Amino acid sequence: MVLYKASLQRLVHKLVLQPRNFRRFPSVRKQTWASDMSKERSGLGKALMEASRAGGVDGVLAAMDKFAKELERATNEGDSKEMSKEQRTLQYVLQNASRGDPDSVLATMDTYAREQEWAMHVGDSKGGIMDSFVKEAAPQTMLELGTYMGYSAVRTARLLPPGAKFITLEYFKEVAAVAKEIISFAGLQDRVIQVISESSEAISQMKTKYNIETFDMVFIDHFGDFYLRDIKLLEENNLLRKGTVVVADNIVHPGAPEYADYVRTCGKYDSTFHEGELYGGKPDGLEKSVYLG
């Protein structure tokens, strides 16, 4: 029940609570509907969180079910001219990037996010830092929490050594579908294992379902409130070994203070902060934490 409730809280945050500039949720295709529903989403978010804090799981489920049905209705009513931001990004990539060239795909996504529609990718500023971490670690097994549109999966997979096993998790199937096309367009479909699942559920299945003993590297980039929960789950499931490199994005914006405090003070990690920027120049950074075993 606790795990189930946590999953609901994650959905609540993803769907209705994150600030608009930082939401990693696909825009509704029916834009007029989305505008009409904006106030309702805000009220729904408040009601959901109040129900969740009070332990009203049934109330949360009912509210989530209503919202999901409205979202599905709006999506089904949309047409090809009213695409989500993620679909528009995909279209831009297909039209402007070079097929089979990961660097071209990344540059094109950077351009679109910077000049057209802001997106919560790791981006080129922090991405360069991430590149250096991947090259240094040369992981044979790697996990990413939060595929989103596939930007960081492309960025990572292009640098992995031959035979590496790279698993990336995403909860929302609509977003994962966009990521699948972008990863394939970059020519990296054979180097990336996409999993559509709530992260806590997938982590518990890594050894049995995905034949993972331990990960050499982990990239955490899904939702800040669950960074701490999931790194503890990785520890509890013995998926980290001495020397495993765990990198977490968005330490400053939107922020993950509980996670940062944990990896810096628990004594299990050698942890350092690496400053970077979001698109537009707002300061952010990556936390690199080496597991001490």
Side-chain angles (χ1 to χ4, degrees), residues 29-67:
R29 292 179 188 173
K30 193 70 173 178
Q31 296 300 321
T32 55
W33 178 89
S35 177
D36 292 341
M37 286 293 290
S38 60
K39 292 183 180 179
E40 183 174 337
R41 281 202 302 270
S42 177
L44 176 61
K46 181 178 179 181
L48 284 169
M49 286 308 295
E50 288 177 352
S52 179
R53 292 189 184 110
V57 175
D58 290 339
V60 173
L61 279 170
M64 285 299 300
D65 184 58
K66 178 182 177 181
F67 184 83

Side-chain angles (χ1 to χ4, degrees), residues 8 26 39 44 116 135 190-191 223 279:
L8 288 173
K39 292 183 180 179
L44 176 61
Q116 301 293 327
K135 290 176 183 177
D190 295 332
R191 307 194 70 183
F223 181 60
Y279 295 122

Side-chain angles (χ1 to χ4, degrees), residues 51-228:
S52 179
R53 292 189 184 110
V57 175
D58 290 339
V60 173
L61 279 170
M64 285 299 300
D65 184 58
K66 178 182 177 181
F67 184 83
K69 288 178 180 177
E70 290 287 353
L71 178 60
E72 182 179 6
R73 176 181 65 79
T75 299
N76 290 337
E77 289 176 359
D79 60 36
S80 60
K81 294 181 180 179
E82 296 174 323
M83 298 183 293
S84 69
K85 176 174 69 175
E86 291 73 23
Q87 290 168 327
R88 290 190 294 272
T89 300
L90 171 61
Q91 184 179 63
Y92 187 82
V93 168
L94 298 180
Q95 293 175 348
N96 294 278
S98 300
R99 181 180 293 274
D101 184 344
D103 289 323
S104 174
V105 170
L106 294 171
T108 303
M109 295 180 79
D110 286 331
T111 297
Y112 190 81
R114 187 175 289 109
E115 299 179 0
Q116 301 293 327
E117 295 185 273
W118 192 93
M120 200 61 171
H121 308 310
V122 68
D124 48 359
S125 171
K126 293 179 293 177
I129 301 170
M130 184 66 184
D131 287 354
S132 67
F133 295 159
V134 174
K135 290 176 183 177
E136 180 183 18
Q140 284 294 328
T141 54
M142 183 168 174
L143 173 67
E144 176 183 53
L145 303 180
T147 313
Y148 191 37
M149 285 189 261
Y151 179 97
S152 51
V154 169
R155 185 150 210 130
T156 298
R158 83 196 207 285
L159 299 175
L160 293 176
K165 192 170 189 177
F166 175 54
I167 300 174
T168 180
L169 306 181
E170 175 58 49
Y171 182 86
F172 292 103
K173 62 182 181 181
E174 297 85 358
V175 179
V178 169
K180 182 177 181 179
E181 291 198 51
I182 288 177
I183 291 166
S184 179
F185 187 81
L188 297 169
Q189 66 275 10
D190 295 332
R191 307 194 70 183
V192 178
I193 300 171
Q194 279 189 264
V195 177
I196 302 173
S197 172
E198 207 282 326
S199 57
S200 62
E201 296 174 6
I203 288 171
S204 67
Q205 298 174 340
M206 282 296 156
K207 288 183 180 289
T208 56
K209 190 172 182 178
Y210 300 101
N211 198 30
I212 295 291
E213 186 61 31
T214 58
F215 287 107
D216 298 328
M217 191 169 186
V218 177
F219 183 45
I220 304 177
D221 191 26
H222 52 341
F223 181 60
D225 282 4
F226 288 86
Y227 283 20
L228 180 57

